[in-house]
Amino acid sequence: MNTTQNLIDVAIPLPLEGPFTYRVPDELLERAHTGRRVLVPFRNKIRAGFVVGICENGHIPGEIKDVVDIPDEKPYTTAQLWSFIRWAANYYLIPAGLMLKTALPPGSDRKSKPWAILTPDGKHEFTRSGHTFPPKFMKSGSILRHDLEVLIGSAAVEEALAKEWITIEERISRPRTTLKKKHIPELLYPAGAQVGPGERAPELTPDQARTVARIAEALAGGGFHPFLVFGVTGSGKTEVYLHAIQTMIDMGKRALVLVPEIALTPQLARRFLRRFGGGVGIFHSGFTPGQRLDEWRRIQSGKVNVVIAARSGIFLPIENLGLLIVDEEHDPSYKQEDSCPYNARDMAIARGKLEGACVVLGSATPSFESFVNAQRGKITRLDLPSRYHGGALPAVELVDLKTNTKNNRSFLTPRLINAVRETLDKHEQVVIFLNRRGFDTFAQCRSCGHVFKCPNCDISLTHHKRARDLRCHLCGFSQAAPPLCPACTSERLFFGGVGTQKVEEELSALFPDARIERLDRDSTRKREDLEGILDRFRKKEIDILTGTQMIVKGHDFPGISLVGILCGDLSLHFPDFRAAERTFQMLTQVAGRTGRESDSGKVILQTFDPDHEAIQYAASHAYEDFFRKDSVLREELSYPPYGHLILVRVEGNSEKRVEDRAIKIGSAARRLKEGNPDIMILGPAPSPRKKMVGRFRWQLLFKSATRNPIRLLVKSLQEEGCLKSHGLKIVVNVDPVDLM
């Protein structure tokens, strides 16, 4: 029978619930503080774990293993941050260890590897046996077992083990934790550039001033206060954020700003650096693992007052956090959809509650969830109904593609071409938006009908003319564009559809003197490519910028006089109840890129469905009218924000096994819900994207008007082992955003 003397609880960053109990040897006890990384034996390996508390159980049955080592380094978490991680794991029905793994910085999660250790007898006998070994191994006396097997073969390694010429030890390496690179903010500026503070804040509009005063009042009072800043495009939401952050800094506290896209970070970071100086941290996946670890440590050390981060920044160890801002809170990028699904926007609200901080959500097109929470009084709504310069929102002209495209496959209608020419004649800038990259969006044989599809994802391959290849935009698969059909050897290959690459080419032919560039995933594979395009456009070195939704992501370019939306309904008819909402948001956001300093902005919105409510309301910038119209059906069907969803997806290499497991889950779920009319089960059925990256996908959707019924159902499925199957990946997605 063991007592709690020297016993600690350790969380292991694996998809396991935990924590696990270990004994701390006396010589390590002084370092066994909460948040410290510890090396512990786990499943025949030495793994990195993290101290999350003193063991509270009076008696622990079974054998308790000893901690192997506690590296002499700063803690990785705090008791408060671990509480947040545990809350998130519980809410999203994810093992706490998996959520911890997601929250940790690069290099913190290490496991041991087997090393071959040369014995004294082995050194002599190896030479006599005729084996040849690398001199480094003979000198150092150790090598990874795998490397030794590559050199001499597995049989020779087994022979050496049997004769005790070598022993095998589990060893774990420690990652670098010191700062060896420049601070990230320094990387944002060219040599000689000036970093603030000292930039003078512009004069606030009356609406901005009222909003800033209301937030400042909440900050001064302390405690948790959530706000929704509902401001039209160009209303100056960022300036509101800057004033709120300054108030927070003056109070000796710190702020976290979440942005949905890496593309937003350089522009926003420069503005923050000019205002606040070097005390700005930046954290997102666009940096190397080493840079992210360096910046994580810099943030943890308290050297920054404000952090700008993508969604993973919600887990950053920011002490004395007083303000969380979620910019463009409607953006679906805040939801991670892989094996650890979470929504950083919703978690910002939860962390604000836990830490007694203010939370500000900002958008011109709020998510229905946030808007309804404001209606219900859970969030305080603050409006910015006018643009900063006082001008009107841009005029939107609808062009019906059914009567205007004719034989023009690029969607460049005569009306849009004339508008572009007029804008260029005035030496003003143009943005052309199409949410499809590539040159042609599909390739087909006109003789036999064969369509070129991705073998991994079962979707049409996109033709990229310059690279002369066919590419999958889901998994990255590519193949050379063939001269003949692989099915019938016909030469009658047809490349159809239109992507941004084709639009760029046709614009260049129409306007040969214009400086034209493209902004999409293909043209910005490196971070410096993205920043270069944005910088040139900001300096008016680009006349026409064409691109995908990357253009929509909150960029502020005052010189844009015309926005052309080539096909506004591409996302309108997806099999998703949010399709209309997303289309409205996207169209409103891209239209808002123009006329940000004057009344000269104009938008030409081309569509095959000009009478659709999402198109009509976007054209008139009427968010609340659209919300009232679209929310009626959602409320009747108990879809969010009037109901709750949990998606269970089964993935695997065998289509039959995936289908069988999904059917078993569905049968078990219907048995468990029997007698509960509050739960609706949709499926099992193949996912709309039936195959991705070589894996087949089936899914079930659980729906209820209140949250608890479906949570209890999924927990029961987990407890019965229905959501585990060897060789299959089963993902539980609470509050799914992408149903595809």
Side-chain angles (χ1 to χ4, degrees):
M1 192 75 70
N2 296 296
T3 65
T4 56
Q5 186 177 6
N6 287 22
L7 298 185
I8 58 172
D9 287 333
V10 175
I12 308 290
L14 288 172
L16 302 166
E17 191 54 45
F20 302 91
T21 302
Y22 287 89
R23 179 186 293 104
V24 182
D26 290 341
E27 64 272 18
L28 298 176
L29 197 57
E30 65 178 14
R31 294 210 294 269
H33 303 305
T34 297
R36 279 285 182 89
R37 179 166 54 176
V38 296
L39 305 182
V40 295
F42 190 83
R43 292 183 177 175
N44 300 319
K45 295 281 186 183
I46 305 297
R47 296 205 68 114
F50 298 84
V51 181
V52 295
I54 303 299
C55 179
E56 300 293 343
N57 293 331
H59 301 285
I60 307 295
E63 179 187 1
I64 302 297
K65 296 180 180 179
D66 283 355
V67 170
V68 174
D69 192 16
I70 302 180
D72 189 13
E73 57 192 9
K74 293 180 180 178
Y76 279 77
T77 66
T78 62
Q80 192 171 36
L81 188 56
W82 170 243
S83 295
F84 176 60
I85 292 169
R86 286 299 300 264
W87 173 89
N90 177 68
Y91 179 79
Y92 288 105
L93 301 175
I94 292 169
L98 181 58
M99 190 62 77
L100 175 66
K101 182 179 178 67
T102 303
L104 290 170
S108 57
D109 175 24
R110 294 298 179 98
K111 67 178 180 180
S112 64
K113 294 181 179 179
W115 286 71
I117 311 301
L118 193 62
T119 66
D121 289 342
K123 189 169 186 178
H124 175 68
E125 294 297 334
F126 267 138
T127 306
R128 288 185 54 194
S129 67
H131 292 299
T132 55
F133 298 100
K136 188 176 180 180
F137 173 47
M138 299 301 291
K139 182 178 180 180
S140 67
S142 63
I143 190 174
L144 281 169
R145 175 172 180 160
H146 173 267
D147 293 346
L148 186 58
E149 288 175 343
V150 170
L151 290 168
I152 67 174
S154 299
V157 171
E158 292 298 332
E159 177 188 358
L161 272 170
K163 294 180 177 179
E164 298 183 349
W165 296 347
I166 61 171
T167 59
I168 301 297
E169 290 183 7
E170 290 287 334
R171 292 184 175 182
I172 187 168
S173 59
R174 300 178 186 175
R176 174 184 63 83
T177 58
T178 56
L179 293 169
K180 292 185 178 179
K181 297 181 178 67
K182 292 181 179 179
H183 290 163
I184 301 298
E186 293 175 34
L187 302 175
L188 292 170
Y189 279 83
Q194 296 297 313
V195 180
E199 181 188 65
R200 184 176 179 180
E203 184 178 349
L204 297 177
T205 67
D207 290 330
Q208 285 178 316
R210 282 191 293 271
T211 300
V212 166
R214 182 66 184 85
I215 296 172
E217 180 185 357
L219 291 171
F224 170 65
H225 297 278
F227 294 97
L228 172 62
V229 176
F230 179 23
V232 299
T233 56
S235 59
K237 291 184 288 295
T238 303
E239 192 59 43
V240 170
Y241 304 157
L242 290 167
H243 275 75
I245 291 167
Q246 186 62 63
T247 300
M248 196 81 278
I249 293 172
D250 292 344
M251 294 171 60
K253 292 189 175 183
R254 303 164 76 192
L256 170 64
V257 181
L258 297 182
V259 295
E261 184 75 28
I262 296 173
L264 286 175
T265 311
Q267 177 178 319
L268 196 63
R270 289 189 180 100
R271 188 167 175 183
F272 276 50
L273 283 161
R274 287 195 298 269
R275 187 70 63 88
F276 303 122
V280 177
I282 300 164
F283 191 85
H284 59 63
S285 60
F287 297 134
T288 66
Q291 287 174 328
R292 292 208 309 276
L293 179 59
D294 287 346
E295 194 69 352
W296 193 92
R297 283 297 193 194
R298 181 169 169 261
I299 292 165
Q300 182 195 40
S301 68
K303 295 179 180 178
V304 301
N305 296 318
V306 54
V307 181
I308 304 169
R311 65 180 178 228
S312 61
I314 193 62
F315 296 109
L316 285 169
I318 305 174
E319 292 288 337
N320 205 18
L321 181 62
L323 175 65
L324 297 95
I325 295 171
V326 184
D327 190 29
E328 307 294 351
E329 66 85 30
H330 66 276
D331 198 292
S333 300
Y334 284 120
K335 181 64 188 286
Q336 179 165 292
E337 297 282 359
D338 59 13
S339 57
C340 187
Y342 67 89
N343 193 316
R345 177 200 65 209
D346 299 343
M347 290 179 68
I349 296 288
R351 189 166 180 184
K353 281 184 181 179
L354 181 68
E355 305 215 16
C358 273
V359 180
V360 176
L361 311 179
S363 178
T365 55
S367 64
F368 277 22
E369 288 82 356
S370 296
F371 197 73
V372 167
N373 280 334
Q375 285 185 328
R376 293 171 176 170
K378 294 182 179 180
I379 299 176
T380 301
R381 173 177 158 182
L382 305 172
D383 288 359
L384 298 175
S386 303
R387 293 195 135 186
Y388 179 77
H389 61 74
L393 289 164
V396 179
E397 177 183 343
L398 293 180
V399 175
D400 190 342
L401 288 173
K402 295 191 296 294
T403 58
N404 282 273
T405 51
K406 295 184 179 180
N407 296 322
N408 191 333
R409 288 167 48 217
S410 68
F411 295 139
L412 292 171
T413 63
R415 176 68 190 97
L416 179 58
I417 292 170
N418 288 336
V420 171
R421 185 174 289 114
E422 292 169 1
T423 305
L424 294 178
D425 288 344
K426 293 186 291 186
H427 304 289
E428 295 173 342
Q429 290 176 294
V430 178
V431 162
I432 302 294
F433 171 76
L434 177 67
N435 207 23
R436 281 182 182 169
R437 57 194 173 106
F439 194 83
D440 303 290
T441 52
F442 69 95
Q444 186 175 29
C445 175
R446 281 182 164 168
S447 294
C448 70
H450 173 78
V451 175
F452 290 82
K453 290 189 174 184
C454 174
N456 302 320
C457 303
D458 197 32
I459 65 167
S460 298
L461 293 171
T462 298
H463 178 221
H464 288 251
K465 185 177 180 181
R466 291 179 186 174
R468 297 180 180 179
D469 66 5
L470 301 173
R471 195 176 304 166
C472 175
H473 288 166
L474 289 180
C475 73
F477 169 85
S478 66
Q479 66 179 58
L484 304 175
C485 172
C488 71
T489 70
S490 170
E491 296 180 355
R492 299 183 63 208
L493 297 184
F494 170 72
F495 298 100
V498 59
T500 50
Q501 192 181 111
K502 178 183 286 185
V503 172
E504 180 188 23
E505 183 176 286
E506 296 208 13
L507 285 169
S508 297
L510 287 166
F511 306 103
D513 296 329
R515 298 165 295 178
I516 302 171
E517 292 202 36
R518 175 166 46 93
L519 183 66
D520 57 25
R521 297 295 180 194
D522 298 313
S523 65
T524 57
R525 296 192 178 277
K526 296 179 181 178
R527 185 166 59 90
E528 53 265 32
D529 296 334
L530 168 65
E531 295 179 14
I533 293 172
L534 294 176
D535 191 52
R536 288 193 295 278
F537 195 61
R538 187 177 298 107
K539 293 176 179 177
K540 299 189 177 183
E541 296 172 0
I542 298 173
D543 300 313
I544 304 176
L545 183 63
T546 181
T548 59
Q549 61 180 346
M550 294 179 72
I551 291 177
V552 181
K553 302 288 187 174
H555 301 299
D556 186 5
F557 299 115
I560 301 172
S561 294
L562 173 67
V563 166
I565 301 171
L566 296 191
C567 188
D569 44 58
L570 285 178
S571 60
L572 192 54
H573 303 295
F574 278 30
D576 191 323
F577 70 91
R578 288 190 178 94
E581 179 188 0
R582 287 178 180 163
T583 300
F584 173 88
Q585 290 168 337
M586 181 178 65
L587 296 178
T588 302
Q589 292 286 340
V590 72
R593 298 313 103 197
T594 185
R596 297 174 79 90
E597 281 194 351
S598 67
D599 292 329
S600 62
K602 184 174 184 59
V603 179
I604 294 181
L605 198 172
Q606 303 181 161
T607 172
F608 286 105
D609 199 353
D611 296 324
H612 193 283
E613 61 201 43
I615 304 291
Q616 286 286 326
Y617 288 128
S620 57
H621 310 283
Y623 173 89
E624 295 194 60
D625 291 339
F626 170 72
F627 169 82
R628 281 191 290 269
K629 179 74 173 178
D630 198 58
S631 62
V632 172
L633 185 60
R634 287 209 207 174
E635 189 167 11
E636 289 178 0
L637 298 177
S638 295
Y639 276 114
Y642 305 102
H644 303 274
L645 300 178
I646 297 179
L647 183 74
V648 174
R649 181 173 288 129
V650 184
E651 302 178 8
N653 298 325
S654 167
E655 186 172 11
K656 183 67 167 59
R657 286 197 64 206
V658 168
E659 179 181 354
D660 288 348
R661 173 52 61 172
I663 290 172
K664 287 180 180 178
I665 294 172
S667 297
R670 287 183 167 87
R671 170 177 53 81
L672 290 166
K673 79 166 281 283
E674 193 170 337
N676 190 340
D678 295 335
I679 298 175
M680 179 178 291
I681 300 175
L682 306 178
S687 300
R689 295 190 184 106
K690 184 179 178 181
K691 189 180 181 185
M692 281 185 63
V693 198
R695 298 172 71 88
F696 296 94
R697 295 147 42 97
W698 276 57
Q699 63 190 40
L700 300 97
L701 189 65
F702 302 124
K703 181 171 67 168
S704 63
T706 55
R707 197 182 305 276
N708 277 339
I710 53 173
R711 289 183 60 82
L712 294 173
L713 175 61
V714 173
K715 284 183 178 180
S716 297
L717 290 171
Q718 290 176 327
E719 290 167 0
E720 290 194 2
C722 297
L723 303 186
K724 289 184 179 180
S725 183
H726 182 69
L728 297 177
K729 180 181 179 181
I730 302 177
V731 177
V732 174
N733 190 341
V734 176
D735 303 333
V737 169
D738 184 0
L739 301 183
M740 298 292 287

